[in-house]
Amino acid sequence: MSALWTSSEIAAATGGTASGAFAVSGVTFDSREVGRGDLFLALKGEATDGHRFLDQAFTQGAAGAVVSADTPHAHVRVADTMAALEDLGRASRARMQGRVIGVTGSVGKTGTKEALFAALDRPEPGRAHRSVKSYNNHTGVPLSLARMPRETRFGVFEMGMNHAGELAALTQIVRPHVAIVTAIAPAHTEFFRDESAIADAKGEIFQGLESGGTAIVPFDSPHRDRLIAAAQPHAARIVTFGLGEGADVRAIETMRTRTGGTFVTARLGERELSFTLSQPGEHWVANAMAILAAVDAVGSDLELAGLALAEMGGLPGRGARFLAKVDGGEALVIDESYNANPASMRATLAVLRAEPADARRIVLLGEMRELGAESDAYHAALADPIRAAGVSRAILVGEGMAALAKALEGQIDFVHVPDAASARASLESMLAPGDAVLVKGSNAVGLASVVASLAGRG
């Protein structure tokens, strides 16, 4: 494998001036993540300035830096380091000769991105690349592009947004050959007049499609026609996916497996494919159809994609499962702690409902953020799916959960606590052998700390 970037390539991409010859094997703008051989981008933010951490970065093994101020370390000097990051992302995309897939949606985009990466990496190990974690914003997307090896055959990039216009800018950097919208649901509604406006903002992803590109649209969404209309000026081909009759890529048969996954038979035009999906839940079946549509669109191997979907484990914060030790035995923990909105809450509660708990089903739910004026209504509406899931006890976290607490009064046993620390104490005091507990909430609530505590029980 060749170097990821040489100093001359960095200078050419950014319009900067190199202090000398060097080569790097990785890229980061977080000094805490710098490893041997990395390029450190000294970004200036509202709270701090990356130039303050140059010595630390080189002590940790950085091979070079992108800077906008004097430094004795090996560097490329530019006028604006943030603009340089974007330039480096564009240059990486320009030199890449493979196929690029962009993924967005209100729910399911990170899981879909990870599963799609696994499906594309299975037939050609080491030739697929994807954005890590949830690096899906104006800094994360160009960073993920800049990290892409030049020999990459398939690149998968997650794109997110909080406001209209943000995806339009990101997709012009990514320039996907295939663009997926997983689903439209209430998320960041504080910044949008209604769900249709969210669909319009998500539909911006199609504006960056390369000539001859494919748009992949959720068939079962009430916003399907709106998304198709957004795609039509930019896509040579529009493919719908889902569970409903009429979808181009459709799950025609599903059956829950003994291990909690789903055996699926999918139809793609005249072809059929049967495979086991390791992730539980109907929402994952729908996402798998989008994944198959994308694999097919870029000409990769569908059968091996099916094997990859069978082999996938749960993602931390997004469906990972483990057994936590409790007095007298173990309890199942379903970790959905990374984020939450009304649609993903309902979907994961449905997964819990299907879980054969030996004792009780327990939920630890954090408030959902950025829901605007309808926040109370969205929270209160979770009462029905909680009851339908057969929940015995609930721990509700945060001020925003007051409306749900009121809706659950007299229905099930619950406690309403102010923060993650209080939630952790409540949960650990009540867990018993055979319990199944779902942990889910907006990331800012901090429920990942509760999961970490349970995972660390010796």
Side-chain angles (χ1 to χ4, degrees):
M1 296 286 285
S2 56
L4 181 62
W5 294 100
T6 65
S7 53
S8 60
E9 289 172 333
I10 297 166
T14 62
T17 303
S19 64
F22 62 85
V24 302
S25 55
V27 182
T28 186
F29 53 66
D30 187 338
S31 61
R32 296 166 298 182
E33 295 181 353
V34 173
R36 185 160 301 280
D38 279 351
L39 176 70
F40 175 61
L41 288 122
L43 301 186
K44 292 184 177 180
E46 294 180 4
T48 189
D49 182 345
H51 293 82
R52 293 171 48 201
F53 304 99
L54 283 165
D55 289 345
Q56 174 187 333
F58 279 87
T59 297
Q60 292 173 205
V66 174
V67 300
S68 58
D70 289 338
T71 178
H73 300 293
H75 67 272
V76 172
R77 183 160 181 172
V78 298
D80 182 332
T81 52
M82 183 61 223
L85 172 59
E86 294 178 356
D87 289 338
L88 206 57
R90 290 189 181 93
S92 179
R93 174 64 184 86
R95 74 183 183 181
M96 189 262 202
Q97 299 300 304
R99 311 297 283 179
V100 173
I101 302 169
V103 182
T104 194
S106 301
V107 291
K109 54 184 177 291
T110 300
T112 297
K113 176 258 298 180
E114 290 293 327
L116 187 50
F117 165 77
L120 295 170
D121 191 62
R122 188 70 161 73
E124 300 185 54
R127 299 294 302 279
H129 172 81
R130 91 287 206 188
S131 46
V132 298
K133 303 179 184 177
S134 289
Y135 282 6
N136 62 21
N137 63 7
H138 67 288
T139 54
V141 169
L143 176 66
S144 297
L145 282 163
R147 288 172 164 176
M148 180 168 59
R150 65 189 78 218
E151 302 90 352
T152 296
R153 176 80 175 89
F154 300 109
V156 187
F157 298 95
E158 177 182 342
M159 287 178 268
M161 62 87 199
N162 292 337
H163 298 84
E166 292 176 345
L167 271 178
L170 292 176
T171 193
Q172 294 297 337
I173 300 175
V174 175
R175 290 169 35 220
H177 298 93
V178 177
I180 302 171
V181 177
T182 57
I184 303 298
H188 312 299
T189 53
E190 179 180 352
F191 309 116
F192 294 94
R193 70 177 187 277
D194 56 26
E195 206 170 277
S196 294
I198 296 174
D200 291 340
K202 295 296 184 184
E204 292 173 10
I205 193 174
F206 304 127
Q207 296 174 19
L209 275 170
E210 291 282 78
S211 176
T214 300
I216 298 177
V217 172
F219 179 83
D220 303 309
S221 170
H223 307 288
R224 175 189 65 208
D225 294 342
R226 199 176 194 94
L227 291 169
I228 288 173
Q232 282 173 334
H234 311 285
R237 181 170 174 246
I238 299 174
V239 178
T240 60
F241 70 91
L243 310 179
E245 184 77 41
D248 297 318
V249 181
R250 179 185 170 223
I252 56 175
E253 291 182 1
T254 62
M255 181 175 65
R256 182 180 169 87
T257 67
R258 287 184 296 176
T259 57
T262 308
F263 182 76
V264 182
T265 299
R267 178 171 293 154
L268 300 84
E270 299 302 315
R271 296 166 292 170
E272 288 189 5
L273 174 70
S274 294
F275 62 96
T276 298
L277 177 61
S278 63
Q279 306 297 327
E282 189 175 88
H283 59 299
W284 259 107
V285 175
N287 290 343
M289 298 304 101
I291 292 161
L292 294 181
V295 168
D296 189 46
V298 298
S300 191
D301 192 305
L302 284 168
E303 284 74 20
L304 289 179
L307 287 177
L309 292 173
E311 295 165 353
M312 271 196 70
L315 304 174
R318 295 179 173 88
R321 294 168 169 235
F322 62 90
L323 294 174
K325 291 186 178 180
V326 299
D327 290 342
E330 295 175 316
L332 172 67
V333 179
I334 304 171
D335 176 16
E336 289 278 357
S337 61
Y338 182 76
N339 222 335
N341 60 44
S344 65
M345 280 284 199
R346 288 193 299 271
T348 50
L349 284 166
V351 170
L352 181 65
R353 179 178 61 204
E355 196 62 43
D358 293 333
R360 302 170 299 177
R361 295 185 181 90
I362 298 171
V363 293
L364 194 169
L365 303 180
E367 63 184 341
M368 302 176 288
R369 302 282 178 86
E370 297 183 351
L371 292 179
E374 299 300 313
S375 179
D376 283 352
Y378 284 127
H379 282 87
L382 295 177
D384 285 344
I386 287 172
R387 288 191 291 266
V391 171
S392 301
R393 302 195 72 180
I395 302 171
L396 311 178
V397 189
E399 185 178 337
M401 279 293 183
L404 177 57
K406 184 175 181 180
L408 289 176
E409 285 180 358
Q411 303 294 316
I412 66 169
D413 185 16
F414 73 88
V415 293
H416 184 198
V417 298
D419 53 37
S422 303
R424 170 183 166 182
S426 293
L427 181 62
E428 292 184 348
S429 68
M430 72 172 65
L431 275 181
D435 286 347
V437 55
L438 167 67
V439 182
K440 188 167 182 64
S442 285
N443 193 40
V445 179
L447 298 186
S449 64
V450 181
V451 174
S453 174
L454 292 170
R457 288 186 166 208

PDB file of all heavy atoms in Angstrom, residues 346-376:
ATOM      1  N   ARG A 346     -39.803   3.920  18.925  1.00  0.00           N
ATOM      2  CA  ARG A 346     -40.854   2.928  18.644  1.00  0.00           C
ATOM      3  C   ARG A 346     -40.260   1.649  18.080  1.00  0.00           C
ATOM      4  O   ARG A 346     -40.676   0.537  18.437  1.00  0.00           O
ATOM      5  CB  ARG A 346     -41.889   3.513  17.680  1.00  0.00           C
ATOM      6  CG  ARG A 346     -42.785   4.578  18.296  1.00  0.00           C
ATOM      7  CD  ARG A 346     -43.982   4.878  17.403  1.00  0.00           C
ATOM      8  NE  ARG A 346     -43.567   5.386  16.098  1.00  0.00           N
ATOM      9  CZ  ARG A 346     -43.363   6.666  15.819  1.00  0.00           C
ATOM     10  NH1 ARG A 346     -43.516   7.579  16.771  1.00  0.00           N
ATOM     11  NH2 ARG A 346     -43.001   7.048  14.616  1.00  0.00           N
ATOM     12  N   ALA A 347     -39.284   1.788  17.187  1.00  0.00           N
ATOM     13  CA  ALA A 347     -38.687   0.608  16.550  1.00  0.00           C
ATOM     14  C   ALA A 347     -37.971  -0.266  17.570  1.00  0.00           C
ATOM     15  O   ALA A 347     -38.111  -1.498  17.558  1.00  0.00           O
ATOM     16  CB  ALA A 347     -37.721   1.051  15.451  1.00  0.00           C
ATOM     17  N   THR A 348     -37.207   0.345  18.470  1.00  0.00           N
ATOM     18  CA  THR A 348     -36.470  -0.461  19.436  1.00  0.00           C
ATOM     19  C   THR A 348     -37.379  -1.017  20.525  1.00  0.00           C
ATOM     20  O   THR A 348     -37.123  -2.092  21.062  1.00  0.00           O
ATOM     21  CB  THR A 348     -35.323   0.353  20.062  1.00  0.00           C
ATOM     22  OG1 THR A 348     -35.814   1.612  20.519  1.00  0.00           O
ATOM     23  CG2 THR A 348     -34.225   0.587  19.049  1.00  0.00           C
ATOM     24  N   LEU A 349     -38.457  -0.324  20.846  1.00  0.00           N
ATOM     25  CA  LEU A 349     -39.435  -0.897  21.776  1.00  0.00           C
ATOM     26  C   LEU A 349     -40.105  -2.123  21.162  1.00  0.00           C
ATOM     27  O   LEU A 349     -40.415  -3.090  21.874  1.00  0.00           O
ATOM     28  CB  LEU A 349     -40.474   0.157  22.162  1.00  0.00           C
ATOM     29  CG  LEU A 349     -39.996   1.212  23.161  1.00  0.00           C
ATOM     30  CD1 LEU A 349     -40.963   2.395  23.203  1.00  0.00           C
ATOM     31  CD2 LEU A 349     -39.833   0.602  24.557  1.00  0.00           C
ATOM     32  N   ALA A 350     -40.313  -2.104  19.849  1.00  0.00           N
ATOM     33  CA  ALA A 350     -40.869  -3.278  19.173  1.00  0.00           C
ATOM     34  C   ALA A 350     -39.901  -4.450  19.239  1.00  0.00           C
ATOM     35  O   ALA A 350     -40.311  -5.611  19.364  1.00  0.00           O
ATOM     36  CB  ALA A 350     -41.200  -2.940  17.723  1.00  0.00           C
ATOM     37  N   VAL A 351     -38.593  -4.155  19.153  1.00  0.00           N
ATOM     38  CA  VAL A 351     -37.585  -5.208  19.307  1.00  0.00           C
ATOM     39  C   VAL A 351     -37.650  -5.802  20.708  1.00  0.00           C
ATOM     40  O   VAL A 351     -37.604  -7.023  20.892  1.00  0.00           O
ATOM     41  CB  VAL A 351     -36.172  -4.648  19.017  1.00  0.00           C
ATOM     42  CG1 VAL A 351     -35.094  -5.661  19.425  1.00  0.00           C
ATOM     43  CG2 VAL A 351     -36.034  -4.292  17.546  1.00  0.00           C
ATOM     44  N   LEU A 352     -37.767  -4.948  21.715  1.00  0.00           N
ATOM     45  CA  LEU A 352     -37.873  -5.428  23.094  1.00  0.00           C
ATOM     46  C   LEU A 352     -39.118  -6.286  23.272  1.00  0.00           C
ATOM     47  O   LEU A 352     -39.084  -7.304  23.974  1.00  0.00           O
ATOM     48  CB  LEU A 352     -37.902  -4.243  24.051  1.00  0.00           C
ATOM     49  CG  LEU A 352     -37.977  -4.595  25.542  1.00  0.00           C
ATOM     50  CD1 LEU A 352     -36.721  -5.323  25.993  1.00  0.00           C
ATOM     51  CD2 LEU A 352     -38.201  -3.334  26.378  1.00  0.00           C
ATOM     52  N   ARG A 353     -40.206  -5.886  22.638  1.00  0.00           N
ATOM     53  CA  ARG A 353     -41.460  -6.642  22.735  1.00  0.00           C
ATOM     54  C   ARG A 353     -41.270  -8.076  22.262  1.00  0.00           C
ATOM     55  O   ARG A 353     -41.873  -9.011  22.820  1.00  0.00           O
ATOM     56  CB  ARG A 353     -42.545  -5.961  21.899  1.00  0.00           C
ATOM     57  CG  ARG A 353     -43.898  -6.669  21.913  1.00  0.00           C
ATOM     58  CD  ARG A 353     -44.905  -5.894  21.087  1.00  0.00           C
ATOM     59  NE  ARG A 353     -44.482  -5.792  19.697  1.00  0.00           N
ATOM     60  CZ  ARG A 353     -44.875  -4.838  18.859  1.00  0.00           C
ATOM     61  NH1 ARG A 353     -45.652  -3.869  19.281  1.00  0.00           N
ATOM     62  NH2 ARG A 353     -44.458  -4.839  17.612  1.00  0.00           N
ATOM     63  N   ALA A 354     -40.429  -8.270  21.242  1.00  0.00           N
ATOM     64  CA  ALA A 354     -40.212  -9.616  20.694  1.00  0.00           C
ATOM     65  C   ALA A 354     -39.182 -10.412  21.483  1.00  0.00           C
ATOM     66  O   ALA A 354     -38.971 -11.594  21.209  1.00  0.00           O
ATOM     67  CB  ALA A 354     -39.762  -9.505  19.236  1.00  0.00           C
ATOM     68  N   GLU A 355     -38.550  -9.766  22.458  1.00  0.00           N
ATOM     69  CA  GLU A 355     -37.495 -10.433  23.219  1.00  0.00           C
ATOM     70  C   GLU A 355     -38.102 -11.375  24.250  1.00  0.00           C
ATOM     71  O   GLU A 355     -38.911 -10.949  25.080  1.00  0.00           O
ATOM     72  CB  GLU A 355     -36.632  -9.386  23.930  1.00  0.00           C
ATOM     73  CG  GLU A 355     -35.318  -9.912  24.432  1.00  0.00           C
ATOM     74  CD  GLU A 355     -34.431 -10.407  23.323  1.00  0.00           C
ATOM     75  OE1 GLU A 355     -34.328  -9.728  22.274  1.00  0.00           O
ATOM     76  OE2 GLU A 355     -33.836 -11.478  23.500  1.00  0.00           O
ATOM     77  N   PRO A 356     -37.716 -12.657  24.237  1.00  0.00           N
ATOM     78  CA  PRO A 356     -38.281 -13.603  25.208  1.00  0.00           C
ATOM     79  C   PRO A 356     -37.591 -13.475  26.565  1.00  0.00           C
ATOM     80  O   PRO A 356     -36.725 -14.258  26.932  1.00  0.00           O
ATOM     81  CB  PRO A 356     -37.992 -14.964  24.562  1.00  0.00           C
ATOM     82  CG  PRO A 356     -36.757 -14.740  23.745  1.00  0.00           C
ATOM     83  CD  PRO A 356     -36.822 -13.313  23.264  1.00  0.00           C
ATOM     84  N   ALA A 357     -37.966 -12.458  27.314  1.00  0.00           N
ATOM     85  CA  ALA A 357     -37.367 -12.233  28.635  1.00  0.00           C
ATOM     86  C   ALA A 357     -37.828 -13.324  29.606  1.00  0.00           C
ATOM     87  O   ALA A 357     -39.005 -13.662  29.663  1.00  0.00           O
ATOM     88  CB  ALA A 357     -37.757 -10.856  29.150  1.00  0.00           C
ATOM     89  N   ASP A 358     -36.874 -13.861  30.360  1.00  0.00           N
ATOM     90  CA  ASP A 358     -37.211 -14.881  31.358  1.00  0.00           C
ATOM     91  C   ASP A 358     -37.899 -14.249  32.567  1.00  0.00           C
ATOM     92  O   ASP A 358     -38.659 -14.912  33.274  1.00  0.00           O
ATOM     93  CB  ASP A 358     -35.945 -15.606  31.822  1.00  0.00           C
ATOM     94  CG  ASP A 358     -35.327 -16.434  30.709  1.00  0.00           C
ATOM     95  OD1 ASP A 358     -36.081 -16.857  29.814  1.00  0.00           O
ATOM     96  OD2 ASP A 358     -34.106 -16.626  30.718  1.00  0.00           O
ATOM     97  N   ALA A 359     -37.607 -12.986  32.800  1.00  0.00           N
ATOM     98  CA  ALA A 359     -38.210 -12.315  33.956  1.00  0.00           C
ATOM     99  C   ALA A 359     -38.985 -11.091  33.487  1.00  0.00           C
ATOM    100  O   ALA A 359     -40.113 -11.192  33.025  1.00  0.00           O
ATOM    101  CB  ALA A 359     -37.120 -11.937  34.967  1.00  0.00           C
ATOM    102  N   ARG A 360     -38.360  -9.914  33.546  1.00  0.00           N
ATOM    103  CA  ARG A 360     -39.071  -8.677  33.230  1.00  0.00           C
ATOM    104  C   ARG A 360     -38.429  -7.970  32.040  1.00  0.00           C
ATOM    105  O   ARG A 360     -37.249  -8.120  31.767  1.00  0.00           O
ATOM    106  CB  ARG A 360     -39.022  -7.746  34.444  1.00  0.00           C
ATOM    107  CG  ARG A 360     -39.606  -8.316  35.705  1.00  0.00           C
ATOM    108  CD  ARG A 360     -39.272  -7.406  36.885  1.00  0.00           C
ATOM    109  NE  ARG A 360     -37.829  -7.287  37.091  1.00  0.00           N
ATOM    110  CZ  ARG A 360     -37.264  -6.516  38.006  1.00  0.00           C
ATOM    111  NH1 ARG A 360     -38.032  -5.777  38.786  1.00  0.00           N
ATOM    112  NH2 ARG A 360     -35.946  -6.463  38.144  1.00  0.00           N
ATOM    113  N   ARG A 361     -39.240  -7.171  31.366  1.00  0.00           N
ATOM    114  CA  ARG A 361     -38.728  -6.229  30.376  1.00  0.00           C
ATOM    115  C   ARG A 361     -38.670  -4.860  31.052  1.00  0.00           C
ATOM    116  O   ARG A 361     -39.687  -4.355  31.546  1.00  0.00           O
ATOM    117  CB  ARG A 361     -39.613  -6.193  29.136  1.00  0.00           C
ATOM    118  CG  ARG A 361     -39.636  -7.508  28.364  1.00  0.00           C
ATOM    119  CD  ARG A 361     -40.443  -7.369  27.075  1.00  0.00           C
ATOM    120  NE  ARG A 361     -40.490  -8.628  26.347  1.00  0.00           N
ATOM    121  CZ  ARG A 361     -41.415  -9.558  26.512  1.00  0.00           C
ATOM    122  NH1 ARG A 361     -42.393  -9.356  27.380  1.00  0.00           N
ATOM    123  NH2 ARG A 361     -41.380 -10.671  25.812  1.00  0.00           N
ATOM    124  N   ILE A 362     -37.491  -4.259  31.028  1.00  0.00           N
ATOM    125  CA  ILE A 362     -37.250  -2.971  31.668  1.00  0.00           C
ATOM    126  C   ILE A 362     -36.744  -1.996  30.611  1.00  0.00           C
ATOM    127  O   ILE A 362     -35.972  -2.379  29.726  1.00  0.00           O
ATOM    128  CB  ILE A 362     -36.212  -3.109  32.800  1.00  0.00           C
ATOM    129  CG1 ILE A 362     -36.735  -4.052  33.894  1.00  0.00           C
ATOM    130  CG2 ILE A 362     -35.841  -1.760  33.392  1.00  0.00           C
ATOM    131  CD1 ILE A 362     -35.694  -4.410  34.939  1.00  0.00           C
ATOM    132  N   VAL A 363     -37.179  -0.747  30.693  1.00  0.00           N
ATOM    133  CA  VAL A 363     -36.646   0.274  29.791  1.00  0.00           C
ATOM    134  C   VAL A 363     -36.024   1.405  30.593  1.00  0.00           C
ATOM    135  O   VAL A 363     -36.566   1.833  31.616  1.00  0.00           O
ATOM    136  CB  VAL A 363     -37.725   0.848  28.836  1.00  0.00           C
ATOM    137  CG1 VAL A 363     -38.181  -0.214  27.852  1.00  0.00           C
ATOM    138  CG2 VAL A 363     -38.909   1.421  29.600  1.00  0.00           C
ATOM    139  N   LEU A 364     -34.864   1.852  30.138  1.00  0.00           N
ATOM    140  CA  LEU A 364     -34.227   3.050  30.665  1.00  0.00           C
ATOM    141  C   LEU A 364     -34.183   4.022  29.496  1.00  0.00           C
ATOM    142  O   LEU A 364     -33.402   3.860  28.557  1.00  0.00           O
ATOM    143  CB  LEU A 364     -32.811   2.740  31.165  1.00  0.00           C
ATOM    144  CG  LEU A 364     -32.123   3.799  32.041  1.00  0.00           C
ATOM    145  CD1 LEU A 364     -30.858   3.225  32.670  1.00  0.00           C
ATOM    146  CD2 LEU A 364     -31.765   5.050  31.256  1.00  0.00           C
ATOM    147  N   LEU A 365     -35.058   5.007  29.516  1.00  0.00           N
ATOM    148  CA  LEU A 365     -35.257   5.896  28.368  1.00  0.00           C
ATOM    149  C   LEU A 365     -34.889   7.329  28.727  1.00  0.00           C
ATOM    150  O   LEU A 365     -35.437   7.910  29.665  1.00  0.00           O
ATOM    151  CB  LEU A 365     -36.711   5.848  27.891  1.00  0.00           C
ATOM    152  CG  LEU A 365     -37.258   4.466  27.513  1.00  0.00           C
ATOM    153  CD1 LEU A 365     -38.698   4.588  27.063  1.00  0.00           C
ATOM    154  CD2 LEU A 365     -36.399   3.818  26.425  1.00  0.00           C
ATOM    155  N   GLY A 366     -33.968   7.898  27.954  1.00  0.00           N
ATOM    156  CA  GLY A 366     -33.609   9.289  28.124  1.00  0.00           C
ATOM    157  C   GLY A 366     -34.449  10.179  27.234  1.00  0.00           C
ATOM    158  O   GLY A 366     -34.974   9.748  26.202  1.00  0.00           O
ATOM    159  N   GLU A 367     -34.574  11.427  27.628  1.00  0.00           N
ATOM    160  CA  GLU A 367     -35.381  12.361  26.846  1.00  0.00           C
ATOM    161  C   GLU A 367     -34.837  12.499  25.424  1.00  0.00           C
ATOM    162  O   GLU A 367     -33.660  12.294  25.166  1.00  0.00           O
ATOM    163  CB  GLU A 367     -35.425  13.728  27.527  1.00  0.00           C
ATOM    164  CG  GLU A 367     -34.073  14.402  27.651  1.00  0.00           C
ATOM    165  CD  GLU A 367     -34.150  15.710  28.419  1.00  0.00           C
ATOM    166  OE1 GLU A 367     -35.257  16.260  28.540  1.00  0.00           O
ATOM    167  OE2 GLU A 367     -33.108  16.181  28.899  1.00  0.00           O
ATOM    168  N   MET A 368     -35.734  12.853  24.500  1.00  0.00           N
ATOM    169  CA  MET A 368     -35.386  13.092  23.109  1.00  0.00           C
ATOM    170  C   MET A 368     -35.226  14.593  22.903  1.00  0.00           C
ATOM    171  O   MET A 368     -36.139  15.360  23.205  1.00  0.00           O
ATOM    172  CB  MET A 368     -36.475  12.519  22.187  1.00  0.00           C
ATOM    173  CG  MET A 368     -36.721  11.037  22.375  1.00  0.00           C
ATOM    174  SD  MET A 368     -38.077  10.392  21.359  1.00  0.00           S
ATOM    175  CE  MET A 368     -39.512  11.105  22.192  1.00  0.00           C
ATOM    176  N   ARG A 369     -34.081  14.995  22.378  1.00  0.00           N
ATOM    177  CA  ARG A 369     -33.775  16.417  22.241  1.00  0.00           C
ATOM    178  C   ARG A 369     -34.168  16.949  20.864  1.00  0.00           C
ATOM    179  O   ARG A 369     -34.421  16.207  19.926  1.00  0.00           O
ATOM    180  CB  ARG A 369     -32.278  16.655  22.476  1.00  0.00           C
ATOM    181  CG  ARG A 369     -31.767  16.184  23.848  1.00  0.00           C
ATOM    182  CD  ARG A 369     -32.117  17.140  24.950  1.00  0.00           C
ATOM    183  NE  ARG A 369     -31.692  16.703  26.271  1.00  0.00           N
ATOM    184  CZ  ARG A 369     -30.480  16.924  26.801  1.00  0.00           C
ATOM    185  NH1 ARG A 369     -29.551  17.560  26.097  1.00  0.00           N
ATOM    186  NH2 ARG A 369     -30.205  16.518  28.023  1.00  0.00           N
ATOM    187  N   GLU A 370     -34.213  18.276  20.756  1.00  0.00           N
ATOM    188  CA  GLU A 370     -34.423  19.007  19.501  1.00  0.00           C
ATOM    189  C   GLU A 370     -35.748  18.671  18.812  1.00  0.00           C
ATOM    190  O   GLU A 370     -35.828  18.546  17.598  1.00  0.00           O
ATOM    191  CB  GLU A 370     -33.262  18.769  18.529  1.00  0.00           C
ATOM    192  CG  GLU A 370     -31.929  19.290  19.043  1.00  0.00           C
ATOM    193  CD  GLU A 370     -30.807  19.119  18.045  1.00  0.00           C
ATOM    194  OE1 GLU A 370     -30.995  18.440  17.015  1.00  0.00           O
ATOM    195  OE2 GLU A 370     -29.710  19.670  18.294  1.00  0.00           O
ATOM    196  N   LEU A 371     -36.807  18.496  19.619  1.00  0.00           N
ATOM    197  CA  LEU A 371     -38.123  18.201  19.054  1.00  0.00           C
ATOM    198  C   LEU A 371     -39.051  19.411  19.044  1.00  0.00           C
ATOM    199  O   LEU A 371     -40.204  19.299  18.625  1.00  0.00           O
ATOM    200  CB  LEU A 371     -38.774  17.042  19.812  1.00  0.00           C
ATOM    201  CG  LEU A 371     -38.101  15.684  19.641  1.00  0.00           C
ATOM    202  CD1 LEU A 371     -38.820  14.619  20.465  1.00  0.00           C
ATOM    203  CD2 LEU A 371     -38.035  15.276  18.173  1.00  0.00           C
ATOM    204  N   GLY A 372     -38.573  20.542  19.495  1.00  0.00           N
ATOM    205  CA  GLY A 372     -39.329  21.777  19.365  1.00  0.00           C
ATOM    206  C   GLY A 372     -40.616  21.804  20.159  1.00  0.00           C
ATOM    207  O   GLY A 372     -40.757  21.170  21.212  1.00  0.00           O
ATOM    208  N   ALA A 373     -41.599  22.526  19.598  1.00  0.00           N
ATOM    209  CA  ALA A 373     -42.855  22.779  20.309  1.00  0.00           C
ATOM    210  C   ALA A 373     -43.668  21.511  20.553  1.00  0.00           C
ATOM    211  O   ALA A 373     -44.502  21.454  21.464  1.00  0.00           O
ATOM    212  CB  ALA A 373     -43.700  23.795  19.536  1.00  0.00           C
ATOM    213  N   GLU A 374     -43.465  20.479  19.745  1.00  0.00           N
ATOM    214  CA  GLU A 374     -44.223  19.236  19.877  1.00  0.00           C
ATOM    215  C   GLU A 374     -43.541  18.220  20.785  1.00  0.00           C
ATOM    216  O   GLU A 374     -43.945  17.056  20.832  1.00  0.00           O
ATOM    217  CB  GLU A 374     -44.460  18.618  18.498  1.00  0.00           C
ATOM    218  CG  GLU A 374     -45.251  19.491  17.541  1.00  0.00           C
ATOM    219  CD  GLU A 374     -46.631  19.820  18.088  1.00  0.00           C
ATOM    220  OE1 GLU A 374     -47.316  18.888  18.557  1.00  0.00           O
ATOM    221  OE2 GLU A 374     -47.008  21.003  18.076  1.00  0.00           O
ATOM    222  N   SER A 375     -42.505  18.634  21.488  1.00  0.00           N
ATOM    223  CA  SER A 375     -41.721  17.692  22.294  1.00  0.00           C
ATOM    224  C   SER A 375     -42.584  16.915  23.288  1.00  0.00           C
ATOM    225  O   SER A 375     -42.482  15.685  23.389  1.00  0.00           O
ATOM    226  CB  SER A 375     -40.612  18.439  23.029  1.00  0.00           C
ATOM    227  OG  SER A 375     -39.866  17.548  23.823  1.00  0.00           O
ATOM    228  N   ASP A 376     -43.448  17.599  24.016  1.00  0.00           N
ATOM    229  CA  ASP A 376     -44.275  16.908  25.009  1.00  0.00           C
ATOM    230  C   ASP A 376     -45.165  15.854  24.357  1.00  0.00           C
ATOM    231  O   ASP A 376     -45.317  14.739  24.879  1.00  0.00           O
ATOM    232  CB  ASP A 376     -45.139  17.913  25.769  1.00  0.00           C
ATOM    233  CG  ASP A 376     -44.357  18.683  26.817  1.00  0.00           C
ATOM    234  OD1 ASP A 376     -43.183  18.337  27.058  1.00  0.00           O
ATOM    235  OD2 ASP A 376     -44.922  19.639  27.395  1.00  0.00           O
TER     236      ASP A 376
END
